[in-house]
Amino acid sequence: MRFPASLSLLALVLQEARQASLPEKERRRREEQPQAAGDSNAVLLPGDYALSLDNYDEVIDLGSYQELTDYGDQAPEVKGTSLAPPNGISSTQSTVAPRTPSSNATVTRPAMLGLPVSPTSHSNHGLPTCLVCVCLGSSVYCDDADLESIPCLPQTTAYLYARFNSIRRIRARDFKGLTKLKKIDLSSNFISTIDDDALYLLPALQALILPENRLTALPRLPTGIEVLDVRLNLLQSSGIQPGAFRALEKLQFLYLADNLLDFIPGPLPLSLRSLHLQNNRIETMQKDTFCDPEEHKHTRRPLEDIRLDSNPINLSLFSSAYFCLPRLPIGRFS
């Protein structure tokens, strides 16, 4: 019985001696072989793969960023892959499901920051609008982007901010089909012309902000507008069509200060709450500018903020024009 036991002991000694004589690399390979041949979906430890600037281009292809596609609410479709595994990661460690060799390497990209972008939505830089501007939700921010015209906007745009640019004209086609557009802020540009139908067909527009431009006239405005700010322009009384504000039944804030107006445009809608006309050339007003002479009662209670300061007009000469107002206008009374 002792002889077979001695043979077993001798075999173990010979095996250990043979393994000890293997090169270091071969011994390490054999020790790691069972793990590599195991489950192909093995979880990678955080230390196994660190994303850095050196391998970033192996994971994300930055060369096809102009191929932005409008997906709406649909998730992007991924067909095949041509991305090689990052350095140091074997094919058995990849967490991506294997693709068949016949699959085409096509990866289509969603719109940036959740805002669907039409493939034809390009700015005047020749780049997609949402690369030149910032598209966030339903808002597009193009402030100080060296724009010379309104860029082509995504169909879901509700708020546009394109301040501090060099835009000179608003064309009829610039906002065509943007039925969800609620606010346009084009402050501090060089806009001198707005096509007559550029804004009129925007059913959802509520706020039009155009201070610090070069406008001499106003276009037709949509009836649902609530805020109109055209301060610091070159607006003349002849550039406002008679009755232009009558149909704006929701207009609450009308800012026309720092222009070249020589009379108060009217008639004004009953919804108006604030009217700023300071720093113009107004010298006189009609008796029915604010009140109906036949109605001797307070019919304009919402209109509590009227500014006519820094105008040549002496407001004390037109006291009968204010009887329907809850407060007197601000201006010169002597």
Side-chain angles (χ1 to χ4, degrees):
M1 296 296 294
R2 291 183 178 180
F3 182 72
S6 299
L7 289 177
S8 299
L9 181 60
L10 180 59
L12 289 175
V13 172
L14 290 175
Q15 183 176 358
E16 290 181 1
R18 183 172 53 187
Q19 182 155 348
S21 63
L22 289 174
E24 179 67 15
K25 292 183 179 180
E26 179 67 16
R27 185 169 67 254
R28 186 176 302 173
R29 186 187 66 81
R30 291 194 178 187
E31 291 175 355
E32 294 179 353
Q33 185 175 2
Q35 181 179 0
D39 186 4
S40 61
N41 293 323
V43 178
L44 295 178
L45 296 177
D48 292 339
Y49 175 51
L51 187 64
S52 66
L53 293 178
D54 296 333
N55 57 20
Y56 195 77
D57 57 344
E58 298 177 6
V59 180
I60 300 177
D61 178 14
L62 298 179
S64 59
Y65 241 76
Q66 293 186 355
E67 299 176 2
L68 298 177
T69 305
D70 183 1
Y71 284 98
D73 298 329
Q74 182 180 1
E77 181 181 0
V78 179
K79 300 179 181 179
T81 179
S82 61
L83 305 179
N87 295 332
I89 304 297
S90 66
S91 60
T92 57
Q93 292 175 310
S94 174
T95 58
V96 180
R99 305 297 198 272
T100 60
S102 60
S103 299
N104 294 325
T106 302
V107 180
T108 47
R109 297 185 177 278
M112 297 181 63
L113 300 175
L115 187 62
V117 182
S118 170
T120 58
S121 297
H122 285 67
S123 71
N124 45 319
H125 292 277
L127 296 172
T129 299
C130 290
L131 286 183
V132 176
C133 306
V134 176
C135 299
L136 183 62
S138 60
S139 300
V140 178
Y141 299 90
C142 300
D143 292 347
D144 199 12
D146 294 327
L147 298 178
E148 295 181 358
S149 61
I150 303 294
C152 187
L153 299 171
Q155 294 295 309
T156 55
T157 303
Y159 304 93
L160 170 64
Y161 301 88
R163 300 164 289 195
F164 312 109
N165 285 288
S166 300
I167 301 171
R168 299 180 182 275
R169 178 185 177 187
I170 300 178
R171 300 162 298 184
R173 67 176 183 270
D174 286 339
F175 302 117
K176 185 176 181 180
L178 300 181
T179 57
K180 298 181 180 180
L181 192 57
K182 296 180 179 179
K183 181 177 182 179
I184 299 174
D185 190 343
L186 299 173
S187 306
S188 301
N189 278 275
F190 298 95
I191 301 171
S192 59
T193 304
I194 302 178
D195 290 0
D196 202 43
D197 292 334
L199 306 171
Y200 182 70
L201 299 178
L202 298 177
L205 188 63
Q206 298 175 357
L208 179 61
I209 315 298
L210 297 169
E212 295 189 79
N213 280 282
R214 297 179 178 178
L215 289 171
T216 59
L218 291 179
R220 296 175 66 191
L221 298 170
T223 58
I225 196 166
E226 299 178 8
V227 180
L228 177 61
D229 187 351
V230 202
R231 294 171 294 121
L232 296 162
N233 275 268
L234 303 174
L235 192 60
Q236 302 177 15
S237 294
S238 59
I240 301 178
Q241 297 296 322
F245 303 124
R246 182 197 299 271
L248 307 183
E249 298 179 352
K250 296 183 179 180
L251 183 63
Q252 299 184 44
F253 303 94
L254 179 58
Y255 301 134
L256 301 172
D258 298 281
N259 279 285
L260 303 176
L261 302 177
D262 50 27
F263 63 83
I264 300 174
L268 299 170
L270 294 176
S271 58
L272 198 63
R273 297 172 54 188
S274 180
L275 174 64
H276 286 189
L277 289 163
Q278 64 268 34
N279 296 313
N280 276 282
R281 301 175 177 180
I282 300 172
E283 297 182 359
T284 185
M285 74 170 67
Q286 302 295 324
K287 292 183 178 180
D288 61 350
T289 298
F290 302 114
C291 308
D292 185 348
E294 298 180 0
E295 291 284 344
H296 296 282
K297 58 183 179 180
H298 293 285
T299 58
R300 301 296 297 263
R301 290 190 179 278
L303 186 53
E304 295 186 350
D305 178 25
I306 301 176
R307 292 195 57 178
L308 286 165
D309 43 314
S310 299
N311 277 281
I313 188 172
N314 183 352
L315 297 178
S316 64
L317 301 177
F318 306 94
S319 57
S320 61
Y322 318 134
F323 69 85
C324 68
L325 300 176
R327 297 182 182 178
L328 290 175
I330 297 175
R332 184 170 66 91
F333 280 88
S334 60

